Amino acid sequence: MDNRSPAIFVGDALGLDFLNSVATPVDTPIDWIENGEGLLCWLEQAGLVPRETLEAMRVQALPGELDKIADQARNLREWFRIFVREHKGRPLTADALGELEPLNRLIERDEGYSRIAPRQAETGEGLELQPMRKWRSPEALLLPIGEALARFVCTEDFSDVRACEGSTCTLLFADHTRGHRRRWCSMAMCGNRAKQAAHRHRRKRSN
Ligand SMILES: [Zn+2]
């Protein structure tokens, strides 16, 4: 597994999936955005940037330019991780606004506009207004991430934000289950590992 293998989307919130873009699925840490190409792949998997735009960036970028943007994306990610770690487990209040200033500064650079287009939903006919964005430079690749993080802090109940209970797992998720009892990033990864450990523990005790 490397950063070309599918990224992890278990956070149930894009803001957390961005933090989960560095993780240790088996025993070696993988950073899906360790370089420019990784960033493009992650953005495509996250559905944040149209494929044609990514392709154009790939072709037009100067050598090293996208790697530099990936550096900035990782800085943004680790800054946001500190924020989420500090505030998770209880509702976010307006007191946090000061800390979020760097994020406001990022998204104010966004050049969004709307376009009248054919309705995309299969059932509907007619027209719809689609949100668009001007992609003037590779730096613009950070803007949909910034928007996702901003949306996350404005819409997610931080009481539901949890860290996976897997002993070596770093993955974060929003617990949207009805009973709020989600403990694992996924059953396939940490859930099963914990079940097997509990089983071994029980067997040892009964021997
Ligand atoms: Zn886990």
Side-chain angles (χ1 to χ4, degrees):
M1 218 185 241
D2 57 27
N3 76 345
R4 301 291 190 281
S5 57
I8 297 175
F9 291 93
V10 297
D12 216 10
L14 205 45
L16 296 175
D17 288 328
F18 178 57
L19 296 184
N20 292 341
S21 65
V22 59
T24 309
V26 187
D27 37 36
T28 329
I30 298 173
D31 192 339
W32 274 270
I33 55 178
E34 72 174 351
N35 52 34
E37 182 53 32
L39 176 65
L40 297 181
C41 291
W42 188 86
L43 286 168
E44 182 173 356
Q45 292 176 68
L48 281 175
V49 181
R51 184 176 292 189
E52 314 82 70
T53 305
L54 293 169
E55 203 38 60
M57 294 274 180
R58 207 175 255 128
V59 173
Q60 290 160 15
L62 303 169
E65 200 175 11
L66 292 172
D67 291 341
K68 224 177 73 193
I69 305 302
D71 283 350
Q72 293 176 26
R74 289 196 308 277
N75 289 340
L76 174 65
R77 183 181 67 190
E78 298 319 310
W79 167 81
F80 193 61
R81 189 186 310 282
I82 292 169
F83 178 84
V84 169
R85 273 206 191 130
E86 197 180 309
H87 291 279
K88 72 180 167 59
R90 59 188 192 284
L92 208 53
T93 66
D95 295 341
L97 205 51
E99 285 173 70
L100 290 168
E101 187 50 30
L103 191 50
N104 265 338
R105 217 143 344 112
L106 171 66
I107 58 179
E108 76 186 14
R109 303 206 307 251
D110 212 342
E111 290 184 271
Y113 62 98
S114 305
R115 189 210 292 274
I116 305 166
R119 192 180 297 281
Q120 285 199 323
E122 279 171 29
T123 46
E125 281 179 30
L127 304 171
E128 68 178 10
L129 204 53
Q130 283 176 1
M132 307 289 288
R133 174 176 273 123
K134 288 188 178 151
W135 305 97
R136 286 196 202 277
S137 69
E139 275 205 335
L141 292 171
L142 298 172
L143 297 173
I145 298 176
E147 188 189 337
L149 302 185
R151 210 175 279 283
F152 176 72
V153 297
C154 293
T155 58
E156 187 64 52
D157 183 346
F158 266 52
S159 316
D160 294 337
V161 176
R162 309 238 159 96
C164 173
E165 291 181 25
S167 57
T168 57
C169 188
T170 58
L171 295 175
L172 295 157
F173 57 83
D175 181 4
H176 294 147
T177 61
R178 203 178 296 173
H180 293 282
R181 298 226 179 89
R182 182 173 167 189
R183 299 173 61 192
W184 316 109
C185 56
S186 78
M187 248 359 248
M189 290 191 272
C190 293
N192 271 337
R193 240 176 271 167
K195 232 167 38 184
Q196 283 160 8
H199 181 69
R200 276 196 304 272
H201 183 70
R202 273 198 303 273
R203 270 215 337 222
K204 229 191 264 170
R205 288 217 312 202
S206 60
N207 279 346

